[in-house]
Amino acid sequence: MIQLQQKTINLECTYCHTITPLRDFKGQCPACGEVIVEARYDLGSVNVDSWRTGLSRRRNPGLWRYHDVLPIYDRRNIISLNEGNTPLIRSEALAASLGLKYLYIKDERQNPTASFKDRQAAVAISWLKEMGVETVVVASTGNVAIAYAAYGARAGIQVWGFFPELAPNDKLREAAIYGAEIIKTTGNYDQTKELAASFARSKGFFLDKGIKSVASIEAMKTMAYEIAEQLGDDLHDGERWRSPDWFLQGVSGGMGPIGVGKGFRELQSFGLVDKLPAFGIIQSTGCAPMVEAFKRKQRVATPVENPRTVIATLATGNPGRAYELLYDYVAENGGSFISASDDEAFNAIRVLARYEGLSVEPATGVTFAGLFKLVQQGIIKPNDVVVVNCSGHTMPVEKRILGDQWQKLVDMSETGTAPRVPEEGFASVVRQMGDRNLRRVVVIEDNEEAARLMSRILESSDNCQVYLAHNGGAGLRVIQEVRPDLVITDLMMPDVDGFAVLDAMKNDPSLKHIPVVVVTAKDLTMQERQKLQQQAERILQKGSFIDDDFLSLLVNRLT
Ligand SMILES: *Cc1c(COP(=O)(O)O)cnc(C)c1O
Ligand SMILES: [Zn+2]
């Protein structure tokens, strides 16, 4: 095992490939002036296999377990809050409803300040400590400044956070509590970055260069190391590491995927993985300079002057050279740039929260909305191993997602000064709380898995009570008994099939008004389709439950 103090770290220019030792680096390539450079580690005679197997035995979890390939010379300078080592959660309900076998969610919300920016802060602040920097200026839409403020507090480094107008005040307060100086501008993110830069210059403070900083890219690459290690554990019993087929992320400046790409490339050069994942780069429709350029097959993006999105985290209008790097990566390794609207993102947040129990911030909602599209467009295939960067927690923006009806108030003032609520009043309060104006839905489906999935999806709609039946005969009995507001039925079932259920319902005057949605995996004949179109409200193909149409159909039917 190499010792950190003897580690050789060089920087390679991403443009002309000139090598400069890290210790001599002055912020740009001495040959061509390019500011984006990549760290290269001389690992000398390290045996990669014993390094890999030694990791789990000898090292603590967290991103510093990969310290051999991080740009810190002396481990005493490491400032850590146990960042990294976030779980790679295998999705069940969401995966099934998308028809995916291997959908993994890299839960970056579980970092110390609830976003993957903690990786960046940990490495960058440690690096600043090693260089003896005392004050750092950072422009941020929120999460970077929060993370820098927390790690800065631990390191005794003063953080100045510059925020654009769009950044939610809740996020600014979160940064302020760690003692950061907070400056909010009336400009957009790109203008705010310029202001921060001129402030730093005039004060002689260190300016964090974000994506152009070696520490940031190196920090983000640790996600690739963790994913490869975790996928290897899950799919190969830890015998080896592996790359996913896809890595997806909602992108602003692009630091995440650039770092992750570098990480997988490094792992491939060590012989630890055999390929690089394709990238799904997802931007907010109101600020999607990369997506627009990609559509035009251009390697240079045209900046978006006025981002039209409330998703501040993703509002980088001018991606600069970062887009070129990602464009080249996708050209070489596959992938796609696509956008999702704010509404699609908010819808995805609800779906994810209710299917998987994960509450995410809007930027991550954009990522999942993009996932749905890539699957629906057939770009991501059913057997692909997909990893989604679940980049940040909703907190503190739930209120934008929940609307007004998210809580029920129990008025207890009537009970006067009595220390207890009288039995009578209490019962009526409980009754009221239970009465959510429920709509009844009967689901007839013989496949257990599909039935479970459908009732989960339905029950995630607030006011829905689901009655399950596993064959047509039982289904009809339930329908007669509960008189539902909606029936959803499979077609192919033993004995009484979906066609027979429909016939029976349409022949019964008391049932014929109840709308029926047919969900089927069957290729329908022309005749069957015509008959169904007369009797059923809607015919849906299985495996398209996330379809916006399906959700809006249910919402319209049920509210
Ligand atoms: C910063 C951030 C992003 C965008 O990341 P980049 O890789 O820098 O484009 C996405 N989600 C969250 C939660 C973030 O904080
Ligand atoms: Zn150069």
Side-chain angles (χ1 to χ4, degrees):
M1 189 59 54
I2 51 167
Q3 296 300 303
L4 271 155
Q5 282 76 358
Q6 297 161 3
K7 176 163 62 174
T8 311
I9 311 172
N10 288 313
L11 301 177
E12 180 178 335
C13 172
T14 57
Y15 186 75
C16 76
H17 305 288
T18 298
I19 302 277
T20 319
L22 174 65
R23 291 189 191 284
D24 303 339
F25 188 66
K26 298 281 184 301
Q28 58 183 48
C29 168
C32 76
E34 172 61 56
V35 291
I36 305 187
V37 295
E38 279 192 346
R40 301 273 175 255
Y41 303 85
D42 183 357
L43 298 183
S45 55
V46 173
N47 175 307
V48 171
D49 263 338
S50 54
W51 178 80
R52 178 181 71 85
T53 46
L55 277 182
S56 39
R57 264 183 289 120
R58 288 199 298 272
R59 297 195 185 178
N60 291 328
L63 65 79
W64 296 104
R65 71 205 257 100
Y66 313 116
H67 63 72
D68 315 70
V69 287
L70 289 171
I72 303 293
Y73 287 104
D74 186 342
R75 272 156 78 184
R76 284 168 301 191
N77 291 322
I78 288 175
I79 306 294
S80 177
L81 285 162
N82 284 349
E83 54 290 331
N85 187 38
T86 57
L88 189 67
I89 298 170
R90 186 149 178 189
S91 157
E92 279 186 26
L94 187 61
S97 58
L98 289 167
L100 292 178
K101 281 215 188 69
Y102 307 102
L103 174 60
Y104 291 89
I105 299 170
K106 182 69 173 155
D107 191 5
E108 289 293 301
R109 305 171 316 155
Q110 297 197 35
N111 277 303
T113 74
S115 87
F116 75 130
K117 297 302 195 310
D118 286 322
R119 294 179 188 271
Q120 180 188 353
V123 178
I125 295 286
S126 300
W127 200 42
L128 295 182
K129 175 131 188 269
E130 195 159 77
M131 293 193 305
V133 169
E134 285 167 4
T135 305
V136 60
V137 177
V138 60
S140 165
T141 55
N143 293 341
V144 174
I146 292 172
Y148 274 52
Y151 286 80
R154 280 183 82 77
I157 293 174
Q158 179 65 49
V159 174
W160 285 75
F162 281 67
F163 300 83
E165 185 173 29
L166 210 52
N169 273 334
D170 301 298
K171 292 215 170 191
L172 275 60
R173 278 188 211 101
E174 175 80 14
I177 200 161
Y178 298 117
E181 297 288 342
I182 308 295
I183 315 285
K184 189 162 189 175
T185 78
T186 55
N188 64 28
Y189 185 34
D190 293 320
Q191 293 165 327
T192 303
K193 276 192 259 189
E194 277 169 37
L195 181 69
S198 61
F199 171 79
R201 227 177 297 121
S202 72
K203 292 282 186 183
F205 293 157
F206 186 91
L207 175 71
D208 182 82
K209 290 199 291 294
I211 196 157
K212 294 173 187 145
S213 133
V214 170
S216 306
I217 301 296
E218 295 303 290
M220 290 308 179
K221 93 180 177 194
T222 59
M223 272 190 288
Y225 279 70
E226 288 180 15
I227 289 166
E229 193 174 354
Q230 290 169 317
L231 275 182
D233 282 345
D234 204 58
L235 295 171
H236 307 290
D237 282 338
E239 291 295 311
R240 61 184 179 90
W241 289 13
R242 75 168 279 165
S243 297
D245 298 310
W246 285 90
F247 173 79
L248 267 59
Q249 195 199 293
V251 161
S252 187
M255 185 166 12
I258 287 178
V260 166
K262 197 218 173 198
F264 280 112
R265 200 166 270 145
E266 241 167 53
L267 292 173
Q268 190 183 37
S269 76
F270 298 153
L272 286 171
V273 300
D274 51 16
K275 65 163 196 172
L276 306 188
F279 277 169
I281 309 269
I282 303 123
Q283 295 201 288
S284 169
T285 308
C287 185
M290 297 192 191
V291 180
E292 295 305 321
F294 185 74
K295 269 192 219 150
R296 294 192 298 263
K297 299 192 166 57
Q298 287 170 342
R299 189 169 171 264
V300 177
T302 308
V304 170
E305 300 286 339
N306 297 305
R308 283 177 214 283
T309 170
V310 299
I311 304 178
T313 309
L314 297 188
T316 297
N318 185 1
R321 274 251 307 146
Y323 169 66
E324 293 173 31
L325 299 177
L326 289 174
Y327 181 90
D328 292 347
Y329 182 98
V330 167
E332 205 175 310
N333 305 294
S336 193
F337 294 73
I338 61 163
S339 67
S341 71
D342 291 10
D343 281 348
E344 288 169 330
F346 289 135
N347 179 52
I349 290 172
R350 276 184 221 105
V351 169
L352 188 67
R354 289 168 177 214
Y355 286 24
E356 300 285 352
L358 301 172
S359 169
V360 301
E361 79 160 77
T364 308
V366 169
T367 317
F368 280 89
L371 166 71
F372 301 169
K373 289 185 178 184
L374 288 170
V375 172
Q376 274 159 12
Q377 292 170 11
I379 296 172
I380 291 180
K381 304 278 188 299
N383 288 326
D384 287 352
V385 176
V386 180
V387 173
V388 179
N389 181 355
C390 186
S391 51
H393 194 278
T394 0
M395 173 230 35
V397 291
E398 282 98 341
K399 63 172 175 271
R400 296 207 193 186
I401 297 153
L402 284 176
D404 302 331
Q405 303 291 319
W406 61 278
Q407 65 174 351
K408 292 182 179 61
L409 186 67
V410 176
D411 184 356
M412 297 177 82
S413 57
E414 291 293 284
T415 60
T417 52
R420 290 180 38 220
V421 186
E423 216 51 55
E424 180 56 22
F426 204 76
S428 85
V429 162
V430 171
R431 258 201 312 279
Q432 275 170 26
M433 287 198 289
D435 176 17
R436 299 193 309 175
N437 193 16
L438 283 178
R439 300 305 156 105
R440 293 174 303 262
V441 180
V442 172
V443 172
I444 313 173
E445 167 66 69
D446 62 336
N447 178 311
E448 292 270 348
E449 185 79 0
R452 191 173 59 95
L453 180 65
M454 247 185 295
S455 56
R456 274 181 72 171
I457 294 172
L458 285 161
E459 271 161 358
S460 76
S461 156
D462 263 334
N463 51 355
C464 195
Q465 168 110 35
V466 178
Y467 300 83
L468 273 183
H470 292 299
N471 61 62
L476 278 171
R477 282 191 297 280
V478 179
I479 291 168
Q480 267 145 4
E481 200 180 311
V482 306
R483 310 270 151 180
D485 302 282
L486 179 69
V487 172
I488 300 179
T489 182
D490 190 11
L491 268 191
M492 306 312 289
M493 291 176 291
D495 302 331
V496 184
D497 66 9
F499 293 105
V501 170
L502 271 165
D503 281 341
M505 284 181 69
K506 295 303 158 189
N507 288 329
D508 181 337
S510 69
L511 300 179
K512 67 186 222 202
H513 65 281
I514 300 174
V516 180
V517 172
V518 170
V519 180
T520 180
K522 182 181 184 327
D523 281 329
L524 298 170
T525 66
M526 195 63 143
Q527 253 179 339
E528 287 171 332
R529 186 168 286 277
Q530 268 169 4
K531 185 167 150 61
L532 286 175
Q533 270 162 354
Q534 281 163 17
Q535 294 185 326
E537 167 100 6
R538 195 61 171 272
I539 308 164
L540 291 171
Q541 218 52 46
K542 276 191 179 163
S544 63
F545 300 145
I546 297 290
D547 201 293
D548 287 346
D549 287 352
F550 182 63
L551 288 174
S552 63
L553 170 101
L554 293 177
V555 170
N556 288 339
R557 273 274 149 233
L558 296 172
T559 47

